[in-house]
Amino acid sequence: ADQLSLHNDKNSTLQAFAVRNARLAFLDQPTGLFVVAPAANFHVATAQGGDLKANLDATVEIAGKPAHVTGEFTLPAKKAPVTGAVEVTGLDLRALGRDAKAFQSMNGVGLVVGMSASFAMQGAHLLNAEFGVGAKGTLDLGLKRGPLAVNSLQIAGRYDGHFDRILIDDGTLDAGGAKAHITGRADLSRDPQGLLTRLTFETQMDKIALAMPGVLPAPVALRVVSARGSYVPGARDIVLDHAEIAGGALDVGGAGTITLVSGKAPAVELKGQMSSIGVRDLLHYWPIGVGEGARGWIEKNMAAGTMGPVAFETHFPAGLLDESQLPDGALKITVPLSGAEVNYIQGLTHITQLR
């Protein structure tokens, strides 16, 4: 019988080979990922020119969660790259976190993903790929009101194996009352075993619309939300070298570190500045439930004025944002005020041009 291998031998008489309804198991030793395929169909045939053409159609299970995989592959007769196209549907990312230690950072990512990709590989090295991803579900960001509901996330992008870089060419997000267009890039750093140790990112969202009753007092449109920094999976640290939120009268920039903690609000260490803004404009962006006393007083008693530039610092340990009050020193804000008209005592003439 002819020996089966991942290369084609021109002296082989094998023309086609098929496996139907097979139960297969796969263990990726570097990551510890264990995948079971209870019903797999696999077909290989010799094509014109001596290349091998392979087709896969399989139901797979990861930590007991099912998904479906289909693929078409070309294994060249010579030492050229292997090319292929793969489609995956129904992949639960939390199952990856439960199944393998290397993917533990996915434990709070309750997204069910469908994706398609075309790729080229040389040996075990991914040279390049183009991909499309769709997802919905929840993201556990440690928010007090619970996981963020993701109605739809759609991304089209590329992977460049030479630089180990992911590029997001086009994306849309509809989550928790927020809608936005997304572009970005991420550069991956790995240890000698190939495990991810750091992800350096630069991302931008535009065409942002926020309709979040109970969080914001009214719908808000923003021009841009951008972030540049890195993520360390082992520490679950998001290091922001620079972040910006801008739109309408609002312009905020800052830098710092956010540490994700399972079951708690994240630890937040940030420093930043908000450009000068009218006090009545500020109320439009002021989240409900944050500084309610100050917000209510300004809304009732300050008819005009400009605040800023406003400097701020946050020193929030993990879980603090779950509490009803912030302790002294957790939030430091310096608020210059000019041109204010204030109703300081009910019934008296308003104070004007207050500084």
Side-chain angles (χ1 to χ4, degrees), residues 23-82:
R23 180 176 178 85
L24 305 175
F26 171 77
L27 173 64
D28 182 46
Q29 291 185 342
T31 65
L33 181 66
F34 183 66
V35 180
V36 175
N41 298 299
F42 185 67
H43 180 265
V44 180
T46 303
Q48 187 175 5
D51 294 346
L52 291 181
K53 299 287 187 178
N55 294 277
L56 172 68
D57 187 334
T59 297
V60 300
E61 292 182 359
I62 301 173
K65 294 291 185 177
H68 193 81
V69 181
T70 59
E72 297 180 353
F73 314 92
T74 299
L75 291 75
K78 298 181 180 180
K79 294 182 179 180
V82 173

Side-chain angles (χ1 to χ4, degrees), residues 11-180:
N11 295 318
S12 173
T13 59
L14 179 68
Q15 296 299 312
F17 177 80
V19 176
R20 301 188 186 281
N21 296 319
R23 180 176 178 85
L24 305 175
F26 171 77
L27 173 64
D28 182 46
Q29 291 185 342
T31 65
L33 181 66
F34 183 66
V35 180
V36 175
N41 298 299
F42 185 67
H43 180 265
V44 180
T46 303
Q48 187 175 5
D51 294 346
L52 291 181
K53 299 287 187 178
N55 294 277
L56 172 68
D57 187 334
T59 297
V60 300
E61 292 182 359
I62 301 173
K65 294 291 185 177
H68 193 81
V69 181
T70 59
E72 297 180 353
F73 314 92
T74 299
L75 291 75
K78 298 181 180 180
K79 294 182 179 180
V82 173
T83 59
V86 177
E87 182 174 0
V88 180
T89 57
L91 176 62
D92 188 333
L93 296 185
R94 283 176 299 192
L96 293 175
R98 290 193 294 267
D99 191 76
K101 185 176 180 180
F103 297 104
Q104 281 186 345
S105 59
M106 294 291 184
N107 281 332
V109 185
L111 297 178
V112 177
V113 174
M115 66 170 291
S116 60
S118 58
F119 63 89
M121 298 186 68
Q122 190 73 58
H125 178 59
L126 180 61
L127 300 176
N128 57 71
E130 295 184 359
F131 60 85
V133 179
K136 63 180 180 179
T138 61
L139 285 174
D140 185 1
L141 302 177
L143 302 176
K144 186 175 182 179
R145 59 194 183 100
L148 178 69
V150 179
N151 300 320
S152 175
L153 174 64
Q154 302 290 330
I155 292 175
R158 296 168 287 143
Y159 172 76
D160 184 335
H162 179 73
F163 295 103
D164 210 359
R165 176 176 296 160
I166 299 170
L167 299 165
I168 298 175
D169 297 317
D170 187 43
T172 57
L173 173 68
D174 179 355
K179 296 182 179 181

Side-chain angles (χ1 to χ4, degrees), residues 243-245 250-256 268-275 309-316 330-336:
E244 179 186 14
I245 302 173
L250 185 69
D251 190 351
V252 182
V268 182
E269 292 284 334
L270 296 176
K271 289 185 178 181
Q273 180 174 285
M274 180 176 67
S275 299
V310 177
F312 62 87
E313 297 181 22
T314 67
H315 305 284
F316 301 163
L331 177 63
K332 298 180 181 179
I333 304 178
T334 303
V335 187

Side-chain angles (χ1 to χ4, degrees), residues 181 183 201-206 208 222-229 240-246 251-255:
H181 174 254
T183 58
F201 62 85
E202 185 172 350
T203 184
Q204 178 173 298
M205 294 189 291
D206 56 16
I208 303 160
L222 297 175
R223 176 175 53 84
V224 65
V225 174
S226 64
R228 184 181 71 251
L240 295 175
D241 299 324
H242 179 73
E244 179 186 14
I245 302 173
D251 190 351
V252 182

Side-chain angles (χ1 to χ4, degrees), residues 334-353:
T334 303
V335 187
L337 182 65
S338 62
E341 179 182 341
V342 179
N343 178 21
Y344 189 70
I345 299 178
Q346 191 69 30
L348 297 182
T349 302
H350 290 186
I351 300 174
T352 59
Q353 298 302 312

